[in-house]
Amino acid sequence: MEIRTHIRLVVAWRIIVISGIISLIYACSYSEEKISHLSGIVPSRHTLLAVTPSLSLQLTGDTLNKSYPQLRTGKAFPITGILRVDGILYRFMGGDSLRISPLASLSEDTVGWTGKYSFLFPGKGWEQRRYDDSWWSEGKGAFGPVKGYYPAHTLWGAENIYVRRHVKVDKKDALRNHKIYVRYVCDDWLKLFCNGKHLLESGFTHQTKCQRLTDEAINQIVDGDNVLAAYCRNTGG
């Protein structure tokens, strides 16, 4: 009885092994055909991030840096991914339309900027583009205590200061359909104009801020010479 049971197990095991070998041989004989068939399947849309069933980021195509991801509604989601390798920035995700192009250099740039300034009230119309500021003093921006929190290049030691900065714009039409921002920092109080048009007022601002210009303010920009004029007041410190 025990011998017969053992023989039956051996026979069953051999049948299973032989069946497995036959299946592998059969699968290998059709592997090339199946692989070539599957290689032609390329999904057109990929889900990059699924936050909720109704909110997800999707990508069309097989390249991350050719276009912006999209929401399920099809609306573009302007997100950009940047990698820094050995000090060089590489864009690996998103489009290139978010690149910021400065219309005028900043004080911490290698080029920097210069402006006309006065510690005394210069008279009515000082903020207008056609105002004659040839008699004003000239200094390199920014203005403030040379050894203060913000890197300044021209000493401002009085309570009030009036600054006029000339900015050249070659092609105003190139600004259409673009967002224009003004970047500023002032401690303590600031009033800013563009070609005589009032842009903003700000109180104690010891950190750099940006504000988007309205369409009305952008319309004040002209081809050629433009003037950013600022009145600043230091109440102490």
Side-chain angles (χ1 to χ4, degrees), residues 105-212:
S105 58
L106 303 174
S107 60
E108 61 262 35
D109 293 342
T110 55
V111 178
W113 62 275
T114 58
K116 299 295 187 71
Y117 69 96
S118 173
F119 295 137
L120 302 176
F121 178 65
K124 184 178 179 180
W126 67 272
E127 74 280 6
Q128 299 297 324
R129 185 171 67 91
R130 298 186 181 278
Y131 177 85
D132 182 13
D133 57 13
S134 60
W135 58 275
W136 287 32
S137 301
E138 186 173 2
K140 184 178 181 181
F143 299 84
V146 179
K147 296 183 179 180
Y149 174 82
Y150 191 86
H153 300 286
T154 301
L155 180 63
W156 167 26
E159 178 179 354
N160 301 308
I161 188 173
Y162 301 83
V163 179
R164 289 172 54 87
R165 179 183 180 183
H166 293 261
V167 178
K168 185 179 180 181
V169 175
D170 294 327
K171 295 180 180 180
K172 177 188 175 180
D173 291 341
L175 304 180
R176 292 181 179 177
N177 301 323
H178 286 79
K179 298 177 182 179
I180 312 298
Y181 294 85
V182 58
R183 181 181 179 185
Y184 64 94
V185 56
C186 181
D187 178 3
D188 293 311
W189 192 74
L190 166 71
K191 183 182 289 186
L192 188 63
F193 304 86
C194 176
N195 291 339
K197 176 68 177 180
H198 180 261
L199 295 182
L200 61 91
E201 291 186 29
S202 178
F204 179 73
T205 307
H206 67 281
Q207 293 183 346
T208 303
K209 289 189 175 182
C210 293
Q211 179 166 316
R212 182 181 175 183

Side-chain angles (χ1 to χ4, degrees), residues 46-68:
H46 311 270
T47 299
L48 300 179
L49 177 64
V51 181
T52 65
S54 60
L55 178 59
S56 63
L57 294 183
Q58 299 179 347
L59 178 71
T60 301
D62 57 356
T63 307
L64 275 174
N65 63 347
K66 294 297 184 180
S67 61
Y68 293 114

Side-chain angles (χ1 to χ4, degrees), residues 79-99:
I79 184 174
T80 302
I82 303 293
L83 287 176
R84 183 190 296 271
V85 181
D86 294 333
I88 302 176
L89 298 178
Y90 297 91
R91 176 174 52 86
F92 70 90
M93 180 177 66
D96 196 33
S97 66
L98 294 182
R99 184 185 299 272

